């Protein structure tokens, strides 16, 4: 029992995430739904020691009163405009450029109540925009190289923009929506990715967690 007790203490302290802003532990129900928050208390109960049994009261502080289902993802990729080739007569030098691109896809949000999306924009792309039709448009003043990723977390306990894992203040333009504007009620949404990508290889990943009022 001693080893089991030590293992429980080690897990419940959550030392690895306690000092990492925006990172939370999850507590999962048998249904597979989970709450997010932080373990805050472990109160041992010595009453059952005579029976070689350890019991304890565990307290978990949740970020909200919702239960979340497994992550759902949609990937939206840029596709260069179709070219009809060169029209002659033409003059050298020739410049091939796909120019600003727009691509859209449907994002299905399930669950009982509104949830908050997380966006990951992978370069190369300059001044990307994420437009959730009928909800809001997030506009970014940033240029991403082919190996860089902009992660945008709209969830209330995070609300940050990071490039390659580092905070990136000032990337979100005030001319567009705020992160707090883009909660998604259950339904289907058209999401557009805009930006300048001469390679046609940039992509947007939309992640949501369906929200429920019970487990």
């Amino acid at each position: 029992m001693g080893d089991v007790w030590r293992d429980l203490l080690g897990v419940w302290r959550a030392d690895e995430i306690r000092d990492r802003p925006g990172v939370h532990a999850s507590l999962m129900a048998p249904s597979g739904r989970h709450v997010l928050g932080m373990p805050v208390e472990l109160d041992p109960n010595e009453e059952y020691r005579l029976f070689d049994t350890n019991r304890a009261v565990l307290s978990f502080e949740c970020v909200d009163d919702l239960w979340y289902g497994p992550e759902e993802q949609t990937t939206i990729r840029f596709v260069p405009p179709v070219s009809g080739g060169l029209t002659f007569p033409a003059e050298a030098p020739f410049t091939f450029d796909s120019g600003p691109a727009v691509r859209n896809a449907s994002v299905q949000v399930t669950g009982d109540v509104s949830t908050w999306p997380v966006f990951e924009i992978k370069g190369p792309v300059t001044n990307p925009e994420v437009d959730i039709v009928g909800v809001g448009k997030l506009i970014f003043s940033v240029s991403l190289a082919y190996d860089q990723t902009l992660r945008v977390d709209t969830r209330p306990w995070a609300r940050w923009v990071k490039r390659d894992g580092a905070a990136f203040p000032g990337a979100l333009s005030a001319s567009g929506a705020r992160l707090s504007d883009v909660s998604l009620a259950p339904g289907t949404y058209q999401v557009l990715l805009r930006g300048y990508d001469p390679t046609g290889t940039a992509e947007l990943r939309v992640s949501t967690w369906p929200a429920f009022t019970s487990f």
Side-chain angles (χ1 to χ4, degrees), residues 119-143:
F119 304 103
E120 284 189 343
I121 304 171
K122 296 184 179 181
V125 63
T126 299
N127 296 333
E129 299 179 5
V130 177
D131 187 1
I132 309 171
V133 178
V135 176
K137 182 192 301 182
L138 300 175
I139 302 173
F140 301 96
S141 300
V142 60
S143 182

Side-chain angles (χ1 to χ4, degrees), residues 64-192:
D64 57 24
D65 59 354
L66 298 176
W67 291 82
Y68 294 92
E71 180 181 9
E72 300 175 346
Q73 290 188 349
T74 303
T75 299
I76 302 169
R77 295 183 174 88
F78 271 156
V79 175
V82 176
S83 172
L86 291 175
T87 300
F88 290 90
E91 294 183 1
F94 306 115
T95 301
F96 299 90
D97 187 351
S98 63
V102 178
R103 183 63 186 260
N104 71 85
S106 294
V107 174
Q108 179 72 34
V109 177
T110 59
D112 295 335
V113 295
S114 296
T115 190
W116 298 91
V118 173
F119 304 103
E120 284 189 343
I121 304 171
K122 296 184 179 181
V125 63
T126 299
N127 296 333
E129 299 179 5
V130 177
D131 187 1
I132 309 171
V133 178
V135 176
K137 182 192 301 182
L138 300 175
I139 302 173
F140 301 96
S141 300
V142 60
S143 182
L144 299 176
Y146 74 95
D147 58 350
Q148 292 182 315
T149 299
L150 193 72
R151 183 175 172 87
V152 184
D153 195 330
T154 72
R155 296 176 294 180
W157 53 88
R159 295 269 164 82
W160 43 248
V161 177
K162 293 183 178 181
R163 182 173 59 184
D164 293 340
F168 193 18
L172 182 64
S173 172
S175 61
R178 298 172 298 179
L179 299 185
S180 59
D181 293 336
V182 294
S183 65
L184 303 179
T188 302
Y189 298 86
Q190 285 296 114
V191 179
L192 286 75

